[in-house]
Amino acid sequence: GNGVYGQTSQEFNFTIGRKVVSHINLKSHEMKVFINDKLAKTIPVTGGMPGYETRSGTKVIMEKYRTKDMDAATTGVSRNDPEYYNISNVPNALRVTWSGEFLHGAPWSEADQGFANVSHGCVGMSTENAAWLYGLTHVGDVVDVTGSSRPMESTNGYGDWNLSWSDYKAGSALD
């Protein structure tokens, strides 16, 4: 510790788990999931429709829910708005932004998955594919989204990945 708070030196051993990265292309409406850089599965998806575009950029799974109640009011949509929704027990929800973007099962949009973006910003897939992804992923796994003109904000989740190195360093106390 050499006088540092705690006054002890410690040594730890740990193992880094497998690498899981999901690449979502909103223009082709598909997600390619890679495990240790090998394609494991291609999943048809739907992203955010015009006015509710899913953000492009690098995101990280922040939270996992077997089921999640999703109320559009929490994202600023008025209960009087025709786009308002309140869906209970959305299956296999993986949060990727603080503002409410998730990857999740969306049985109501299966006809559009692989063909059109019809969501309010989340990435929807079949319940079966969402269950597979939920079982595979961990908090901290990377989700890379392309195909939208709406960029990911660096403060909307674990968004530091979206800063250039020079911008990241500029925010450092050491720079």
Side-chain angles (χ1 to χ4, degrees), residues 10 13 26 31 41 44 50 60 66 72 77 95 97 101 103 113 145 149 154 161:
Q10 296 185 3
N13 294 312
L26 298 168
M31 173 170 45
K41 192 168 191 171
V60 176
R66 258 305 163 200
V77 178
R95 178 186 289 277
T97 70
E101 283 185 23
L103 283 62
Q113 294 165 14
V145 181
S149 60
S154 63
W161 298 93

Side-chain angles (χ1 to χ4, degrees), residues 104-128:
H104 62 76
W108 54 86
S109 68
E110 284 190 27
D112 292 304
Q113 294 165 14
F115 302 102
N117 292 322
V118 298
S119 83
H120 290 85
C122 290
V123 174
M125 65 199 82
S126 73
T127 302
E128 178 183 339

